[in-house]
Amino acid sequence: MGMGPDTMMHLSDTDIQIIDILSDIGLKSGESRILVVLFKGYDLTSRELERISDLRQPEVSIAINQLIKRKWVWVTSHITEKKGRPVKVYSLSRTIDDILDEIKGDIEGDYRKKIEIIERVRVMVKEAKESE
């Protein structure tokens, strides 16, 4: 098992609101769910993440891989149960503030790009009128 969340840990109403907000601003739903579970500060196995986030194993796997790719989550250890292969344990690799700042930076970058495109359209329209 992971590092100590009580077995009845679940998503609160506030957690669900945060998941919805993160999804609204561009994170995939599964990533938002896993991130919010890990925001609680525990090291968790894939099975624990499935149960707490209420996602199926393939969804957890896809979300975890994306979060690892973004360098927000890492595998902290492997627990070997009596038989079978070791179980990976996941945790945040960055602070919540760092992650939120990165999301904010992505949004600001997208916003700036869209503003530049609008300004380019303005110039194109003016040039088109002048050449009529």
Side-chain angles (χ1 to χ4, degrees):
M1 295 318 252
M3 306 297 121
D6 82 39
T7 52
M8 297 313 292
M9 191 162 86
H10 66 282
L11 295 171
S12 69
D13 290 345
T14 302
D15 294 334
I16 300 294
Q17 287 179 312
I18 295 168
I19 289 164
D20 290 344
I21 291 167
L22 292 175
S23 298
D24 285 348
I25 61 175
L27 280 186
K28 291 193 170 69
S29 175
E31 293 171 39
S32 299
R33 289 183 92 80
I34 297 299
L35 209 50
V36 168
V37 171
L38 290 172
F39 279 174
K40 294 177 180 295
Y42 296 107
D43 297 349
L44 299 166
T45 65
S46 183
R47 192 162 297 137
E48 289 167 330
L49 287 169
E50 273 175 59
R51 187 183 51 71
I52 299 163
S53 68
D54 200 26
L55 293 171
R56 295 189 319 277
Q57 190 280 322
E59 298 168 312
V60 169
S61 188
I62 290 165
I64 279 288
N65 287 332
Q66 281 307 114
L67 295 171
I68 288 171
K69 204 179 283 181
R70 290 185 98 143
K71 297 182 171 51
W72 293 351
V73 169
W74 57 16
V75 179
T76 50
S77 62
H78 297 263
I79 306 167
T80 308
E81 291 173 350
K82 290 157 201 72
K83 47 185 173 279
R85 53 183 199 205
V87 176
K88 292 178 181 176
V89 178
Y90 301 97
S91 66
L92 292 181
S93 58
R94 304 184 49 199
T95 67
I96 294 169
D97 282 333
D98 281 351
I99 291 169
L100 293 176
D101 285 344
E102 189 174 319
I103 293 169
K104 192 170 124 185
D106 291 347
I107 291 167
E108 288 171 345
D110 288 347
Y111 175 79
R112 265 194 300 282
K113 272 187 224 138
K114 287 175 182 168
I115 296 293
E116 287 167 13
I117 290 166
I118 291 168
E119 292 308 320
R120 199 172 331 137
V121 168
R122 184 189 316 274
V123 169
M124 291 167 73
V125 168
K126 279 184 183 164
E127 288 172 352
K129 274 190 173 175
E130 288 166 7
S131 67
E132 282 175 3

